């Protein structure tokens, strides 16, 4: 071969490389489209299982799958008779019992199953007296009321802590679940609720989708201005209506939605939004229904000759009413033009608790809220809910220059599902005797002021990098520390150290309504997911480090997508808080205070909006007609059945559960240990770990209750611990969350009466 031929072959090889690259891209795109279609087919097959008459052979023929594949996707469609399945299972169990156990074989280990995280601080001496062993407690969480049975006598086995855990914001995982492996010491009390299986990051092409973003879905800065809606404020108890700058008294009849709409629109034509400030008409006749939700659904769907449920348009086509026990949303249109203008009936409680304030004060609070936000956003508009308002205001802070000028990419649906399943929200836990006294010497409540606002300065951005146990083990100690301190989410196996006598540090999953507990018994071992802030605290707390083994994780780029949004909201909150103390008019002071609470709701629910849980679609169907597949019936009256169903993840450009999960993790860590800084210098600490062991009674999202006062400074800044209540003892220890909330109210009243120097 001469040089000329060699050169020609190189050119041909380069051309072939280009063609191969193009072909690979086509194959990848085709594979991606195929995966998407297969997922759609699986979802539809699973949805068909909701129809009582569905049969696997028919579904298999329609879908192009085998009957076995259909049954694996939707087990409810298994045509095998139950008796045959039971006999087959018995035969398999007998065969397994008779088969000799295979001889163990040494298998080569390609990578470690877990990598032990480094200790990040020198531990304090082990306490001489460990905490007493708690008795196991059966726990059931119903969100509104948490019920705990009386503790049973202690047994010789060492159980994990008894706790009441409130729901964390999450959804059913979309990834295959891997079982939690609790230690024997921890499994007994958790088993009563049942350890909940946590999803893991799969290998291969499936796992690659957990390190990806959704194609063509980006959070972009809007190029339009929101339109303000005509809004009025109604006291449904008295009939007082605040419309613009006047108040009129209405006759609301029996307070059905139709009567309220007729009365309000007669006085204020064109009204698009009615906020009920008092009276809660949706609770009328609630005693006739088995649940409060049934009563609300019946009220929302009360028949009217002139009004019907608004069907909306576009994405809101199936939205209809939103059924909630205390803060429902009714959407109505005239029966003559059901696709015409919509009027909403909403609760003022979405924004703040009016706490007896009249309609004029509520109207003034809304006006002050808008004015405070307008100073920081020229185009600020108050939307129907604080969640919608928060996300809209955030979208107007998306940078126009720099790396993220084009917007923030939305994570893949698989990764969003993982974060929903593994990233809990606020910590709610009632510590039961014998970990605390039966008779409390006092009940002292501390609440973190505007807590989440303190944790917005850094958030994860971009596509995460998967960290395996082997990759973590291969890092230097400095690289490991940096990874743990970065925006990250870790799958870990945790062991509570010997001699530990304080509260739990990391959440452990248990079955129930998205429940979490916080094991603290020495020797308890559990597998969980936790944010970098919590894992770092477990390794660096000043008492003693916990053993944390890294099973895997996701490491994001550190960014500031929420920083500007948070700064503006904090400034608006500070302005209104100052006005609530300095204004000369008492009504305006109250209105300013309520407006400051509304800013808190904008941030709190705006952040929750980023979590973008799988959608709940609600609707109504006339009695006698077939219901849509896979629905949950909420209630029915003589005319219609009200239902809701999971509609999966929407293509929401503002879906960022990684931001919500990271902020919630930081807030949970701050309940245990928060630093007060002056510049870069740490001048004080606060949090449960800085109280004496055995004095922490309750965790409540952004506050804690103890049996004694703490010397924690209060500067009025976001995140600071404020003394909120003090109930003088002896106090009988509450056995449920409901009992605790009653004691908390008494403590707040006593503190207000006697002052903080009592």
């Amino acid at each position: 071969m001469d040089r000329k031929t060699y050169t020609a072959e190189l050119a041909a090889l380069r051309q072939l490389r280009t063609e191969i690259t193009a072909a690979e891209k086509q194959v990848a795109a085709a594979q991606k489209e195929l995966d998407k279609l297969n997922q759609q087919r699986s979802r539809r097959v699973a949805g068909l299982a909701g129809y009582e008459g569905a049969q696997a052979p028919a579904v298999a023929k329609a879908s192009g799958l085998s009957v076995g594949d259909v049954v694996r996707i939707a087990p409810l469609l298994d045509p095998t008779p139950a008796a045959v399945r039971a006999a087959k299972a018995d035969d398999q169990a007998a065969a397994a019992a008779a088969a000799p156990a295979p001889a163990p074989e040494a298998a080569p280990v390609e990578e470690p199953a877990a990598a032990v995280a480094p200790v990040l601080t020198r531990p304090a001496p082990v306490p001489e007296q460990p905490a007493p062993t708690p008795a196991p407690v059966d726990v059931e969480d119903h969100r509104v009321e948490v019920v705990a049975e009386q503790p049973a006598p202690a047994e010789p086995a060492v159980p994990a802590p008894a706790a009441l855990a409130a729901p964390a914001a999450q959804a059913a995982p979309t990834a295959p679940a891997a079982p939690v492996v609790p230690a024997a010491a921890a499994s007994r009390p958790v088993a009563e609720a049942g350890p909940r299986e946590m999803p893991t990051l799969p290998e291969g092409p499936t796992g690659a989708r957990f390190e990806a973003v959704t194609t063509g879905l980006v959070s972009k800065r809007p190029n339009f201005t929101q339109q303000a809606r005509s809004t009025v404020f109604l006291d449904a108890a008295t009939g007082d209506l605040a419309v613009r700058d006047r108040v009129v008294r209405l006759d609301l009849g029996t307070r059905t939605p139709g009567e309220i709409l007729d009365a309000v629109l007669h006085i204020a034509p064109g009204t698009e939004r009615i906020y009920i400030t008092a009276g809660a008409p949706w609770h009328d006749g609630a005693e006739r229904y088995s649940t409060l939700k049934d009563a609300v659904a019946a009220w929302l769907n009360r028949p009217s000759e002139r009004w019907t449920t608004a069907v909306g348009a576009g994405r809101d086509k199936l939205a209809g009413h939103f059924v909630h026990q205390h803060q429902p949303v009714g959407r109505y249109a005239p029966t003559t033009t059901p696709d015409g203008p919509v009027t909403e009936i909403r609760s003022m409680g979405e924004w703040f608790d009016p706490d007896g304030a009249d309609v004029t004060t509520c109207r003034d609070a809304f006006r002050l809220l808008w004015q405070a936000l307008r100073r920081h956003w020229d185009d600020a508009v108050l939307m129907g809910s604080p969640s919608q308002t928060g996300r809209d205001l955030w979208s107007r802070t998306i940078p126009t220059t720099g790396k993220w000028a084009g917007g923030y990419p939305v994570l893949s649906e698989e990764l969003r599902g993982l974060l929903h399943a593994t990233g809990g929200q606020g910590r709610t836990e009632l510590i039961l005797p014998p970990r605390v006294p039966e008779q409390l010497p006092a009940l002292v409540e501390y609440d973190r002021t505007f807590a989440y606002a303190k944790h917005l300065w850094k958030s994860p951005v971009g596509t995460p990098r998967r960290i395996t146990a082997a990759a973590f083990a291969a890092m230097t100690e400095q690289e490991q520390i940096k990874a743990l301190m970065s925006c990250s989410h870790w799958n870990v196996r945790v062991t509570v150290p010997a001699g530990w006598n304080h509260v739990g540090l990391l959440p452990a999953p248990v079955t129930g309504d998205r429940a979490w507990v916080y094991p603290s018994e020495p020797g308890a071992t559990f597998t969980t997911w936790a944010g970098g802030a919590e894992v770092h605290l477990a390794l660096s707390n000043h008492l003693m480090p916990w053993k944390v083994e890294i099973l895997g994780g996701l490491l994001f780029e550190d960014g500031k997508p929420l920083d500007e949004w948070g700064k503006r909201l904090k400034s608006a909150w500070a302005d209104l808080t100052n006005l609530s103390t300095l204004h000369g008019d008492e009504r305006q002071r109250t209105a300013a205070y309520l407006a400051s609470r509304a800013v808190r709701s904008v941030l709190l629910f705006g952040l929750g909006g980023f979590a973008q849980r799988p959608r709940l679609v609600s609707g109504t169907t006339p009695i006698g007609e077939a219901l849509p597949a896979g629905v949950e019936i909420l209630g029915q009256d003589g005319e219609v059945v009200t239902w809701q169903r999971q509609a999966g993840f929407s293509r929401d450009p503002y879906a960022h559960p990684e931001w919500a999960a990271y902020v919630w993790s930081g807030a949970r860590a701050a309940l245990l240990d928060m630093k007060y800084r002056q510049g870069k210098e740490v001048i004080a600490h606060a949090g449960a770990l800085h109280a004496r062991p055995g004095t922490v009674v309750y965790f409540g999202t952004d506050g804690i209750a103890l049996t004694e006062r703490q010397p924690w400074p209060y500067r009025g800044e976001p995140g600071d611990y404020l003394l909120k209540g003090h109930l003088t003892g002896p106090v009988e220890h509450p056995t449920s969350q409901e009992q605790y909330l009653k004691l908390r109210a008494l403590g707040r009243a006593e503190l207000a009466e006697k002052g903080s120097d009592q």
Side-chain angles (χ1 to χ4, degrees), residues 41-76:
R41 178 169 64 179
S42 296
R43 284 196 291 268
R44 292 195 175 189
V45 168
L48 289 173
Y51 174 56
E52 185 176 355
Q55 295 183 349
V59 175
K61 184 176 180 180
S63 63
L65 296 171
S66 68
V67 172
D69 289 335
V70 168
V71 171
R72 277 190 290 273
I73 295 171
L76 289 176

Side-chain angles (χ1 to χ4, degrees), residues 137-162:
V137 176
D138 289 335
V139 177
E140 186 176 3
D141 182 5
H142 294 294
R143 186 174 179 87
V144 177
E145 178 180 5
V146 181
V147 182
E149 297 182 2
Q150 291 297 325
E155 299 182 6
V158 180

Side-chain angles (χ1 to χ4, degrees), residues 317-341:
K317 187 68 177 176
L318 294 176
H321 305 312
F322 175 65
V323 182
H324 185 276
Q325 292 93 322
H326 301 284
Q327 296 167 10
V329 179
R331 300 182 178 95
Y332 301 93
T335 54
T336 54
T337 55
D339 294 328

Side-chain angles (χ1 to χ4, degrees), residues 13-27:
L13 190 60
R14 283 193 290 269
Q15 177 62 29
L16 186 60
R17 179 197 65 191
T18 302
E19 293 174 359
I20 290 173
T21 301
E24 287 176 340
K25 290 182 178 179
Q26 291 178 354
V27 170

Side-chain angles (χ1 to χ4, degrees), residues 513-528:
D513 186 15
R514 302 185 294 270
W516 302 81
V517 295
Y518 292 80
S520 63
E521 195 64 28
T525 299
F526 57 95
T527 301
T528 190

